[in-house]
Amino acid sequence: AKERGRNNFQFFARWMDTQVSNRLEMLVSLRQALDKDEFKLFYQPKVSIADGSIIGAEALIRWQSPEQGMVAPDRFIPFAEEAGLIVPIGEWVLRTACAQNKAWQEAGLLQIPVAVNLSPRQLDQSLPDFVRKVLTESALSAQWLELEITENVVMKDAEKTVATLNALKQLGLKISVDDFGTGYSSLSYLRRFPVDALKIDKSFVRDIARDADSAAIVKAVISLAHILNLRVIAEGVEDHEQYNFLRQNGCDEVQGYYFGKPMSVADFTLRLQQEQSS
Ligand code: C2E
Ligand code: CA
Ligand code: CA
Ligand code: CA
């Protein structure tokens, strides 16, 4: 038993070692990725359920790594959050998305708000000032910026969060609650938060046709949003059946592969051009 215990310990020590060096490597390579400009933003259309026109876009980060190719955000954002790197990465995202939206407007393309995802760590008291600075630098009017925050962010330290969100709203931008339904917000909080829209999480949308509970939740969130005077947007819409269900039940906006995957700047620009000529 003693022998076994020692083996376990050695195993554990080795495991720790690899974990530590992987984490360090990851930290170093993310830092370098930022310095070497290896992050890219892709843009996914948000579409009006009434007529299928593009009424917005969400910016989604990717890491174009020379060694690993295109790395999805789920593989590095959680780590960046833990390591504190999400703040500089998030600043880059905000600057890039605002500058890009301004460039589309300057090119005479359809004017739409671009949504940026915020990590909980970014939502501190200095954020409103930073956002104001970025809007000024990019000369983008605040009405063309939307911030997506997750439900649980909102719940943590509610008082401070309300103050920060109010300051952000005062700049004139829009705020939506992402992944709605997966967290635990209370209705009274939701009423107090200065938000404009709820985004129904894609896990509910995925199961609309197969699972009565998901269908019921989607309907309930749509009603709830409208009672609170909020817009409601469904994400992860992949087929016509889901689209029909959402339309029949009064959802306002949709986003998903059925209407367009997240695209490079070049592809999204083409999409905006097509939108205008159609
Ligand atoms: P999210 O904000 O909930 O974004 C929606 C995710 O669903 C995106 O994954 C998008 O590509 C994907 N998606 C869109 N339409 C469909 C569909 O029809 N079906 C399915 N199955 N998926 C769809 P992505 O781009 O891999 O991003 C994953 C998550 O990473 C995001 O979830 C968000 O939480 C985070 N993220 C992405 N970009 C940023 C960023 O710039 N900053 C921060 N803090 N987080 C980000
Ligand atoms: Ca989002
Ligand atoms: Ca989401
Ligand atoms: Ca998510």
Side-chain angles (χ1 to χ4, degrees), residues 58-60 115-117 148-150 178-179 199 235 255:
E58 178 175 3
L60 294 155
V116 165
N117 290 285
E148 295 191 0
I149 57 176
T150 53
D178 208 351
D179 301 345
K199 290 190 83 174
E235 66 176 19
Q255 185 182 353

Side-chain angles (χ1 to χ4, degrees), residues 191-252:
R191 208 192 51 197
R192 284 175 46 222
F193 283 107
V195 299
D196 303 280
L198 301 183
K199 290 190 83 174
I200 304 175
D201 191 67
K202 58 178 180 290
S203 60
F204 302 114
V205 175
R206 186 188 57 216
D207 296 338
I208 277 176
R210 284 180 271 134
D211 173 33
D213 286 344
S214 293
I217 289 169
V218 169
K219 283 190 195 181
V221 174
I222 295 171
S223 309
L224 171 66
H226 288 161
I227 288 168
L228 294 169
N229 265 320
L230 305 174
R231 277 183 302 123
V232 59
I233 167 159
E235 66 176 19
V237 181
E238 295 185 355
D239 60 40
H240 196 75
E241 197 175 9
Q242 294 164 343
Y243 173 57
N244 264 344
F245 179 95
L246 292 160
R247 195 172 43 187
Q248 277 155 14
N249 287 285
C251 190
D252 303 303

Side-chain angles (χ1 to χ4, degrees), residues 11 24 40 61 66 88 96 118-119 134 138 175 186 211 220 231 241 268 276:
F11 173 78
L24 261 177
K40 297 279 170 288
I61 196 171
T96 307
L118 281 191
S119 286
V134 170
S138 58
I175 298 176
S186 86
D211 173 33
R231 277 183 302 123
E241 197 175 9
F268 196 82
Q276 268 182 324

Side-chain angles (χ1 to χ4, degrees), residues 20-87:
V20 167
S21 70
N22 283 344
R23 293 165 67 83
L24 261 177
E25 263 171 47
M26 183 76 166
L27 186 68
V28 169
S29 40
L30 281 178
R31 182 72 247 179
Q32 285 176 346
L34 196 56
D35 297 337
K36 290 191 291 185
D37 215 18
E38 289 171 4
F39 293 114
K40 297 279 170 288
L41 290 184
F42 271 40
Y43 295 86
Q44 186 178 34
K46 293 182 179 183
V47 165
S48 160
I49 208 152
D51 62 5
S53 60
I54 295 185
I55 48 173
E58 178 175 3
L60 294 155
I61 196 171
R62 273 97 185 86
W63 175 14
Q64 183 75 70
S65 157
E67 293 89 31
Q68 300 181 68
M70 195 75 99
V71 185
D74 287 337
R75 284 182 51 210
F76 65 90
I77 290 286
F79 184 86
E81 282 173 339
E82 210 186 305
L85 267 179
I86 194 63
V87 172

